mmCIF file of all heavy atoms in Angstrom:
data_model
loop_
_atom_site.group_PDB
_atom_site.id
_atom_site.type_symbol
_atom_site.label_atom_id
_atom_site.label_comp_id
_atom_site.label_asym_id
_atom_site.label_seq_id
_atom_site.Cartn_x
_atom_site.Cartn_y
_atom_site.Cartn_z
ATOM 1 N N LYS A 178 107.494 127.958 90.814
ATOM 2 C CA LYS A 178 107.100 128.108 92.208
ATOM 3 C C LYS A 178 106.804 126.752 92.839
ATOM 4 O O LYS A 178 106.117 125.914 92.249
ATOM 5 C CB LYS A 178 105.875 129.010 92.334
ATOM 6 C CG LYS A 178 105.577 129.458 93.772
ATOM 7 C CD LYS A 178 104.487 130.505 93.797
ATOM 8 C CE LYS A 178 104.290 131.083 95.190
ATOM 9 N NZ LYS A 178 105.458 131.854 95.664
ATOM 10 N N LEU A 179 107.334 126.546 94.027
ATOM 11 C CA LEU A 179 107.056 125.338 94.801
ATOM 12 C C LEU A 179 107.104 125.686 96.277
ATOM 13 O O LEU A 179 108.147 126.087 96.795
ATOM 14 C CB LEU A 179 108.077 124.235 94.498
ATOM 15 C CG LEU A 179 107.817 122.894 95.180
ATOM 16 C CD1 LEU A 179 106.590 122.208 94.577
ATOM 17 C CD2 LEU A 179 109.029 121.974 95.082
ATOM 18 N N ASN A 180 105.971 125.576 96.950
ATOM 19 C CA ASN A 180 105.895 125.810 98.383
ATOM 20 C C ASN A 180 105.775 124.488 99.130
ATOM 21 O O ASN A 180 105.637 123.422 98.513
ATOM 22 C CB ASN A 180 104.702 126.703 98.712
ATOM 23 C CG ASN A 180 104.890 128.126 98.220
ATOM 24 O OD1 ASN A 180 105.972 128.700 98.375
ATOM 25 N ND2 ASN A 180 103.863 128.698 97.620
ATOM 26 N N GLU A 181 105.804 124.566 100.434
ATOM 27 C CA GLU A 181 105.586 123.380 101.252
ATOM 28 C C GLU A 181 104.166 122.850 101.031
ATOM 29 O O GLU A 181 103.214 123.644 100.869
ATOM 30 C CB GLU A 181 105.756 123.722 102.732
ATOM 31 C CG GLU A 181 107.210 123.844 103.175
ATOM 32 C CD GLU A 181 107.829 122.504 103.465
ATOM 33 O OE1 GLU A 181 107.979 121.707 102.516
ATOM 34 O OE2 GLU A 181 108.166 122.244 104.622
ATOM 35 N N PRO A 182 103.988 121.519 101.036
ATOM 36 C CA PRO A 182 102.629 120.964 100.976
ATOM 37 C C PRO A 182 101.843 121.358 102.225
ATOM 38 O O PRO A 182 102.425 121.797 103.224
ATOM 39 C CB PRO A 182 102.855 119.440 100.934
ATOM 40 C CG PRO A 182 104.296 119.257 100.624
ATOM 41 C CD PRO A 182 105.005 120.466 101.123
ATOM 42 N N ARG A 183 100.545 121.185 102.177
ATOM 43 C CA ARG A 183 99.733 121.469 103.361
ATOM 44 C C ARG A 183 100.107 120.517 104.495
ATOM 45 O O ARG A 183 100.356 119.340 104.271
ATOM 46 C CB ARG A 183 98.250 121.304 103.028
ATOM 47 C CG ARG A 183 97.690 122.417 102.155
ATOM 48 C CD ARG A 183 96.193 122.245 101.989
ATOM 49 N NE ARG A 183 95.624 123.318 101.185
ATOM 50 C CZ ARG A 183 94.324 123.429 100.914
ATOM 51 N NH1 ARG A 183 93.467 122.521 101.371
ATOM 52 N NH2 ARG A 183 93.886 124.438 100.182
ATOM 53 N N LEU A 184 100.110 121.065 105.703
ATOM 54 C CA LEU A 184 100.458 120.266 106.871
ATOM 55 C C LEU A 184 99.386 119.217 107.144
ATOM 56 O O LEU A 184 98.193 119.528 107.157
ATOM 57 C CB LEU A 184 100.623 121.176 108.089
ATOM 58 C CG LEU A 184 101.141 120.524 109.368
ATOM 59 C CD1 LEU A 184 102.568 120.025 109.168
ATOM 60 C CD2 LEU A 184 101.111 121.531 110.514
ATOM 61 N N VAL A 185 99.834 117.998 107.362
ATOM 62 C CA VAL A 185 98.916 116.901 107.671
ATOM 63 C C VAL A 185 98.786 116.782 109.182
ATOM 64 O O VAL A 185 99.781 116.769 109.910
ATOM 65 C CB VAL A 185 99.444 115.571 107.083
ATOM 66 C CG1 VAL A 185 98.516 114.429 107.441
ATOM 67 C CG2 VAL A 185 99.605 115.686 105.575
ATOM 68 N N ASN A 186 97.558 116.732 109.682
ATOM 69 C CA ASN A 186 97.329 116.620 111.131
ATOM 70 C C ASN A 186 97.117 115.157 111.521
ATOM 71 O O ASN A 186 96.111 114.543 111.171
ATOM 72 C CB ASN A 186 96.110 117.449 111.539
ATOM 73 C CG ASN A 186 96.382 118.942 111.407
ATOM 74 O OD1 ASN A 186 97.433 119.416 111.819
ATOM 75 N ND2 ASN A 186 95.450 119.672 110.817
ATOM 76 N N LEU A 187 98.089 114.628 112.236
ATOM 77 C CA LEU A 187 98.025 113.249 112.716
ATOM 78 C C LEU A 187 98.296 113.245 114.220
ATOM 79 O O LEU A 187 98.959 114.152 114.747
ATOM 80 C CB LEU A 187 99.054 112.382 111.983
ATOM 81 C CG LEU A 187 98.804 112.174 110.478
ATOM 82 C CD1 LEU A 187 99.976 111.467 109.841
ATOM 83 C CD2 LEU A 187 97.528 111.381 110.249
ATOM 84 N N PRO A 188 97.823 112.241 114.931
ATOM 85 C CA PRO A 188 97.977 112.218 116.395
ATOM 86 C C PRO A 188 99.420 112.089 116.861
ATOM 87 O O PRO A 188 99.769 112.536 117.947
ATOM 88 C CB PRO A 188 97.145 110.990 116.824
ATOM 89 C CG PRO A 188 97.032 110.156 115.590
ATOM 90 C CD PRO A 188 97.014 111.107 114.439
ATOM 91 N N SER A 189 100.270 111.475 116.053
ATOM 92 C CA SER A 189 101.669 111.281 116.423
ATOM 93 C C SER A 189 102.554 112.264 115.659
ATOM 94 O O SER A 189 102.425 112.411 114.439
ATOM 95 C CB SER A 189 102.099 109.841 116.109
ATOM 96 O OG SER A 189 103.498 109.720 116.075
ATOM 97 N N GLU A 190 103.453 112.934 116.384
ATOM 98 C CA GLU A 190 104.350 113.897 115.731
ATOM 99 C C GLU A 190 105.251 113.215 114.715
ATOM 100 O O GLU A 190 105.489 113.735 113.621
ATOM 101 C CB GLU A 190 105.201 114.611 116.783
ATOM 102 C CG GLU A 190 106.120 115.667 116.171
ATOM 103 C CD GLU A 190 107.007 116.349 117.200
ATOM 104 O OE1 GLU A 190 106.922 115.967 118.386
ATOM 105 O OE2 GLU A 190 107.771 117.244 116.813
ATOM 106 N N SER A 191 105.760 112.022 115.056
ATOM 107 C CA SER A 191 106.651 111.321 114.130
ATOM 108 C C SER A 191 105.928 110.919 112.852
ATOM 109 O O SER A 191 106.488 111.005 111.750
ATOM 110 C CB SER A 191 107.248 110.078 114.804
ATOM 111 O OG SER A 191 106.234 109.164 115.180
ATOM 112 N N LEU A 192 104.663 110.495 112.990
ATOM 113 C CA LEU A 192 103.888 110.152 111.795
ATOM 114 C C LEU A 192 103.563 111.395 110.974
ATOM 115 O O LEU A 192 103.537 111.354 109.744
ATOM 116 C CB LEU A 192 102.602 109.425 112.193
ATOM 117 C CG LEU A 192 102.760 107.995 112.698
ATOM 118 C CD1 LEU A 192 101.417 107.444 113.153
ATOM 119 C CD2 LEU A 192 103.371 107.100 111.620
ATOM 120 N N GLN A 193 103.326 112.498 111.652
ATOM 121 C CA GLN A 193 103.018 113.747 110.958
ATOM 122 C C GLN A 193 104.226 114.218 110.145
ATOM 123 O O GLN A 193 104.086 114.671 109.012
ATOM 124 C CB GLN A 193 102.606 114.824 111.963
ATOM 125 C CG GLN A 193 102.136 116.114 111.311
ATOM 126 C CD GLN A 193 101.382 116.992 112.293
ATOM 127 O OE1 GLN A 193 100.516 116.514 113.016
ATOM 128 N NE2 GLN A 193 101.708 118.269 112.307
ATOM 129 N N ILE A 194 105.410 114.103 110.744
ATOM 130 C CA ILE A 194 106.640 114.468 110.029
ATOM 131 C C ILE A 194 106.831 113.585 108.807
ATOM 132 O O ILE A 194 107.166 114.058 107.718
ATOM 133 C CB ILE A 194 107.857 114.363 110.974
ATOM 134 C CG1 ILE A 194 107.787 115.451 112.050
ATOM 135 C CG2 ILE A 194 109.161 114.474 110.197
ATOM 136 C CD1 ILE A 194 108.818 115.298 113.139
ATOM 137 N N ALA A 195 106.610 112.272 108.993
ATOM 138 C CA ALA A 195 106.748 111.331 107.879
ATOM 139 C C ALA A 195 105.736 111.627 106.773
ATOM 140 O O ALA A 195 106.061 111.573 105.580
ATOM 141 C CB ALA A 195 106.590 109.898 108.374
ATOM 142 N N ALA A 196 104.502 111.946 107.169
ATOM 143 C CA ALA A 196 103.469 112.266 106.185
ATOM 144 C C ALA A 196 103.845 113.504 105.388
ATOM 145 O O ALA A 196 103.595 113.588 104.177
ATOM 146 C CB ALA A 196 102.127 112.467 106.886
ATOM 147 N N MET A 197 104.460 114.464 106.053
ATOM 148 C CA MET A 197 104.901 115.687 105.372
ATOM 149 C C MET A 197 106.003 115.380 104.363
ATOM 150 O O MET A 197 106.005 115.882 103.232
ATOM 151 C CB MET A 197 105.398 116.690 106.407
ATOM 152 C CG MET A 197 105.640 118.078 105.852
ATOM 153 S SD MET A 197 104.113 118.834 105.253
ATOM 154 C CE MET A 197 104.662 120.528 105.025
ATOM 155 N N LYS A 198 106.936 114.537 104.748
ATOM 156 C CA LYS A 198 108.011 114.148 103.833
ATOM 157 C C LYS A 198 107.449 113.412 102.622
ATOM 158 O O LYS A 198 107.853 113.661 101.473
ATOM 159 C CB LYS A 198 109.044 113.277 104.561
ATOM 160 C CG LYS A 198 109.843 114.003 105.639
ATOM 161 C CD LYS A 198 110.796 113.051 106.338
ATOM 162 C CE LYS A 198 111.467 113.688 107.553
ATOM 163 N NZ LYS A 198 112.441 114.714 107.217
ATOM 164 N N LEU A 199 106.521 112.509 102.866
ATOM 165 C CA LEU A 199 105.892 111.774 101.775
ATOM 166 C C LEU A 199 105.158 112.732 100.832
ATOM 167 O O LEU A 199 105.240 112.598 99.603
ATOM 168 C CB LEU A 199 104.915 110.741 102.344
ATOM 169 C CG LEU A 199 104.223 109.820 101.341
ATOM 170 C CD1 LEU A 199 105.238 108.962 100.592
ATOM 171 C CD2 LEU A 199 103.204 108.930 102.057
ATOM 172 N N SER A 200 104.479 113.718 101.415
ATOM 173 C CA SER A 200 103.767 114.708 100.603
ATOM 174 C C SER A 200 104.728 115.504 99.734
ATOM 175 O O SER A 200 104.402 115.854 98.592
ATOM 176 C CB SER A 200 102.979 115.664 101.505
ATOM 177 O OG SER A 200 101.960 114.991 102.189
ATOM 178 N N ARG A 201 105.907 115.781 100.271
ATOM 179 C CA ARG A 201 106.905 116.513 99.469
ATOM 180 C C ARG A 201 107.315 115.711 98.240
ATOM 181 O O ARG A 201 107.451 116.259 97.144
ATOM 182 C CB ARG A 201 108.138 116.838 100.323
ATOM 183 C CG ARG A 201 107.881 117.853 101.430
ATOM 184 C CD ARG A 201 109.185 118.267 102.099
ATOM 185 N NE ARG A 201 108.930 119.162 103.229
ATOM 186 C CZ ARG A 201 109.110 118.853 104.495
ATOM 187 N NH1 ARG A 201 109.558 117.637 104.838
ATOM 188 N NH2 ARG A 201 108.871 119.717 105.453
ATOM 189 N N TRP A 202 107.536 114.402 98.434
ATOM 190 C CA TRP A 202 107.897 113.550 97.293
ATOM 191 C C TRP A 202 106.760 113.517 96.255
ATOM 192 O O TRP A 202 107.002 113.620 95.052
ATOM 193 C CB TRP A 202 108.197 112.133 97.771
ATOM 194 C CG TRP A 202 109.549 111.938 98.384
ATOM 195 C CD1 TRP A 202 109.839 111.732 99.706
ATOM 196 C CD2 TRP A 202 110.817 111.933 97.702
ATOM 197 N NE1 TRP A 202 111.195 111.595 99.885
ATOM 198 C CE2 TRP A 202 111.817 111.701 98.677
ATOM 199 C CE3 TRP A 202 111.191 112.081 96.370
ATOM 200 C CZ2 TRP A 202 113.175 111.634 98.353
ATOM 201 C CZ3 TRP A 202 112.554 112.015 96.037
ATOM 202 C CH2 TRP A 202 113.516 111.787 97.023
ATOM 203 N N GLN A 203 105.552 113.359 96.734
ATOM 204 C CA GLN A 203 104.404 113.294 95.817
ATOM 205 C C GLN A 203 104.235 114.600 95.047
ATOM 206 O O GLN A 203 104.039 114.604 93.828
ATOM 207 C CB GLN A 203 103.124 112.979 96.607
ATOM 208 C CG GLN A 203 103.101 111.571 97.187
ATOM 209 C CD GLN A 203 101.943 111.345 98.150
ATOM 210 O OE1 GLN A 203 101.541 112.256 98.884
ATOM 211 N NE2 GLN A 203 101.397 110.141 98.163
ATOM 212 N N GLN A 204 104.305 115.696 95.765
ATOM 213 C CA GLN A 204 104.158 117.013 95.135
ATOM 214 C C GLN A 204 105.264 117.256 94.115
ATOM 215 O O GLN A 204 105.024 117.770 93.015
ATOM 216 C CB GLN A 204 104.202 118.104 96.209
ATOM 217 C CG GLN A 204 104.197 119.521 95.669
ATOM 218 C CD GLN A 204 104.290 120.546 96.774
ATOM 219 O OE1 GLN A 204 103.293 121.094 97.198
ATOM 220 N NE2 GLN A 204 105.491 120.813 97.266
ATOM 221 N N LEU A 205 106.501 116.880 94.475
ATOM 222 C CA LEU A 205 107.632 117.080 93.573
ATOM 223 C C LEU A 205 107.466 116.265 92.293
ATOM 224 O O LEU A 205 107.709 116.773 91.189
ATOM 225 C CB LEU A 205 108.929 116.692 94.287
ATOM 226 C CG LEU A 205 110.217 116.835 93.481
ATOM 227 C CD1 LEU A 205 110.398 118.266 92.997
ATOM 228 C CD2 LEU A 205 111.421 116.396 94.323
ATOM 229 N N ALA A 206 107.046 115.024 92.431
ATOM 230 C CA ALA A 206 106.842 114.170 91.258
ATOM 231 C C ALA A 206 105.803 114.775 90.317
ATOM 232 O O ALA A 206 106.006 114.826 89.085
ATOM 233 C CB ALA A 206 106.411 112.775 91.695
ATOM 234 N N GLN A 207 104.700 115.258 90.873
ATOM 235 C CA GLN A 207 103.647 115.864 90.054
ATOM 236 C C GLN A 207 104.147 117.113 89.333
ATOM 237 O O GLN A 207 103.886 117.303 88.138
ATOM 238 C CB GLN A 207 102.447 116.220 90.939
ATOM 239 C CG GLN A 207 101.718 115.008 91.515
ATOM 240 C CD GLN A 207 100.754 115.388 92.630
ATOM 241 O OE1 GLN A 207 100.605 116.565 92.981
ATOM 242 N NE2 GLN A 207 100.103 114.383 93.227
ATOM 243 N N ASN A 208 104.855 117.949 90.055
ATOM 244 C CA ASN A 208 105.351 119.192 89.461
ATOM 245 C C ASN A 208 106.376 118.939 88.368
ATOM 246 O O ASN A 208 106.353 119.584 87.317
ATOM 247 C CB ASN A 208 105.937 120.097 90.547
ATOM 248 C CG ASN A 208 104.900 120.904 91.274
ATOM 249 O OD1 ASN A 208 104.606 122.042 90.927
ATOM 250 N ND2 ASN A 208 104.319 120.312 92.305
ATOM 251 N N LEU A 209 107.287 118.011 88.614
ATOM 252 C CA LEU A 209 108.322 117.735 87.617
ATOM 253 C C LEU A 209 107.748 117.106 86.351
ATOM 254 O O LEU A 209 108.240 117.357 85.245
ATOM 255 C CB LEU A 209 109.417 116.852 88.213
ATOM 256 C CG LEU A 209 110.350 117.552 89.213
ATOM 257 C CD1 LEU A 209 111.419 116.584 89.713
ATOM 258 C CD2 LEU A 209 111.010 118.775 88.582
ATOM 259 N N ARG A 210 106.713 116.303 86.510
ATOM 260 C CA ARG A 210 106.063 115.739 85.311
ATOM 261 C C ARG A 210 105.499 116.857 84.432
ATOM 262 O O ARG A 210 105.665 116.851 83.211
ATOM 263 C CB ARG A 210 104.956 114.759 85.712
ATOM 264 C CG ARG A 210 105.438 113.367 86.065
ATOM 265 C CD ARG A 210 104.307 112.354 86.070
ATOM 266 N NE ARG A 210 103.330 112.638 87.106
ATOM 267 C CZ ARG A 210 103.392 112.145 88.336
ATOM 268 N NH1 ARG A 210 104.399 111.356 88.686
ATOM 269 N NH2 ARG A 210 102.452 112.431 89.225
ATOM 270 N N LYS A 211 104.827 117.814 85.068
ATOM 271 C CA LYS A 211 104.247 118.934 84.319
ATOM 272 C C LYS A 211 105.334 119.786 83.663
ATOM 273 O O LYS A 211 105.236 120.162 82.490
ATOM 274 C CB LYS A 211 103.399 119.805 85.249
ATOM 275 C CG LYS A 211 102.134 119.139 85.762
ATOM 276 C CD LYS A 211 101.400 120.057 86.738
ATOM 277 C CE LYS A 211 100.180 119.378 87.329
ATOM 278 N NZ LYS A 211 99.502 120.244 88.356
ATOM 279 N N ILE A 212 106.361 120.080 84.429
ATOM 280 C CA ILE A 212 107.443 120.931 83.920
ATOM 281 C C ILE A 212 108.170 120.253 82.769
ATOM 282 O O ILE A 212 108.449 120.870 81.733
ATOM 283 C CB ILE A 212 108.419 121.277 85.058
ATOM 284 C CG1 ILE A 212 107.730 122.203 86.063
ATOM 285 C CG2 ILE A 212 109.690 121.922 84.513
ATOM 286 C CD1 ILE A 212 108.503 122.391 87.353
ATOM 287 N N SER A 213 108.471 118.986 82.937
ATOM 288 C CA SER A 213 109.153 118.232 81.891
ATOM 289 C C SER A 213 108.338 118.216 80.605
ATOM 290 O O SER A 213 108.860 118.398 79.498
ATOM 291 C CB SER A 213 109.425 116.800 82.374
ATOM 292 O OG SER A 213 110.109 116.062 81.397
ATOM 293 N N SER A 214 107.023 118.034 80.762
ATOM 294 C CA SER A 214 106.132 118.019 79.588
ATOM 295 C C SER A 214 106.063 119.385 78.927
ATOM 296 O O SER A 214 106.156 119.507 77.701
ATOM 297 C CB SER A 214 104.728 117.570 80.023
ATOM 298 O OG SER A 214 103.827 117.632 78.944
ATOM 299 N N ASN A 215 105.935 120.443 79.744
ATOM 300 C CA ASN A 215 105.816 121.793 79.189
ATOM 301 C C ASN A 215 107.090 122.261 78.494
ATOM 302 O O ASN A 215 107.034 122.951 77.468
ATOM 303 C CB ASN A 215 105.453 122.788 80.304
ATOM 304 C CG ASN A 215 104.039 122.573 80.818
ATOM 305 O OD1 ASN A 215 103.204 121.981 80.139
ATOM 306 N ND2 ASN A 215 103.765 123.058 82.029
ATOM 307 N N LEU A 216 108.249 121.883 79.069
ATOM 308 C CA LEU A 216 109.520 122.294 78.470
ATOM 309 C C LEU A 216 109.983 121.346 77.374
ATOM 310 O O LEU A 216 110.878 121.697 76.590
ATOM 311 C CB LEU A 216 110.613 122.374 79.554
ATOM 312 C CG LEU A 216 110.440 123.429 80.652
ATOM 313 C CD1 LEU A 216 111.589 123.327 81.653
ATOM 314 C CD2 LEU A 216 110.395 124.831 80.060
ATOM 315 N N GLY A 217 109.367 120.168 77.320
ATOM 316 C CA GLY A 217 109.798 119.169 76.345
ATOM 317 C C GLY A 217 111.185 118.649 76.646
ATOM 318 O O GLY A 217 111.963 118.365 75.726
ATOM 319 N N LYS A 218 111.506 118.535 77.927
ATOM 320 C CA LYS A 218 112.842 118.097 78.334
ATOM 321 C C LYS A 218 112.759 116.944 79.324
ATOM 322 O O LYS A 218 111.895 116.932 80.192
ATOM 323 C CB LYS A 218 113.613 119.252 78.990
ATOM 324 C CG LYS A 218 113.886 120.419 78.057
ATOM 325 C CD LYS A 218 114.668 121.498 78.766
ATOM 326 C CE LYS A 218 114.888 122.684 77.830
ATOM 327 N NZ LYS A 218 115.710 122.290 76.652
ATOM 328 N N SER A 219 113.675 116.020 79.196
ATOM 329 C CA SER A 219 113.805 114.934 80.165
ATOM 330 C C SER A 219 114.789 115.372 81.242
ATOM 331 O O SER A 219 115.883 115.874 80.940
ATOM 332 C CB SER A 219 114.312 113.670 79.465
ATOM 333 O OG SER A 219 114.568 112.650 80.395
ATOM 334 N N ILE A 220 114.409 115.225 82.505
ATOM 335 C CA ILE A 220 115.265 115.647 83.611
ATOM 336 C C ILE A 220 116.202 114.510 83.996
ATOM 337 O O ILE A 220 115.769 113.411 84.323
ATOM 338 C CB ILE A 220 114.413 116.088 84.808
ATOM 339 C CG1 ILE A 220 113.563 117.310 84.414
ATOM 340 C CG2 ILE A 220 115.288 116.419 86.019
ATOM 341 C CD1 ILE A 220 112.518 117.689 85.425
ATOM 342 N N ASP A 221 117.507 114.786 83.929
ATOM 343 C CA ASP A 221 118.504 113.747 84.200
ATOM 344 C C ASP A 221 118.716 113.493 85.684
ATOM 345 O O ASP A 221 119.026 112.383 86.097
ATOM 346 C CB ASP A 221 119.851 114.143 83.575
ATOM 347 C CG ASP A 221 119.768 114.284 82.067
ATOM 348 O OD1 ASP A 221 119.523 113.258 81.396
ATOM 349 O OD2 ASP A 221 119.931 115.410 81.568
ATOM 350 N N LEU A 222 118.569 114.551 86.486
ATOM 351 C CA LEU A 222 118.845 114.430 87.918
ATOM 352 C C LEU A 222 118.044 115.468 88.681
ATOM 353 O O LEU A 222 117.964 116.625 88.280
ATOM 354 C CB LEU A 222 120.338 114.629 88.194
ATOM 355 C CG LEU A 222 120.761 114.882 89.648
ATOM 356 C CD1 LEU A 222 120.477 113.662 90.514
ATOM 357 C CD2 LEU A 222 122.233 115.270 89.730
#
């Protein structure tokens, strides 16, 4: 399971969009580390 990260409230819409994209990368990295460890597999791509 992977949902969208929580919405970040910033005064500028463009910064808010960028913050959301950054959060997606951070969340994905954290999740893949856990999954890779639990499955004992290295993810190639």
Side-chain angles (χ1 to χ4, degrees):
K178 192 172 187 66
L179 184 70
N180 291 316
E181 282 278 66
R183 287 185 178 182
L184 187 65
V185 178
N186 291 315
L187 293 172
S189 163
E190 182 182 2
S191 61
L192 288 176
Q193 186 164 313
I194 292 171
M197 191 64 168
K198 293 178 188 290
L199 183 62
S200 295
R201 292 188 184 111
W202 281 108
Q203 292 171 325
Q204 174 182 262
L205 180 58
Q207 293 167 1
N208 277 266
L209 287 181
R210 278 196 295 269
K211 292 177 184 176
I212 291 169
S213 181
S214 176
N215 291 339
L216 295 178
K218 296 181 182 297
S219 174
I220 297 170
D221 298 295
L222 165 65

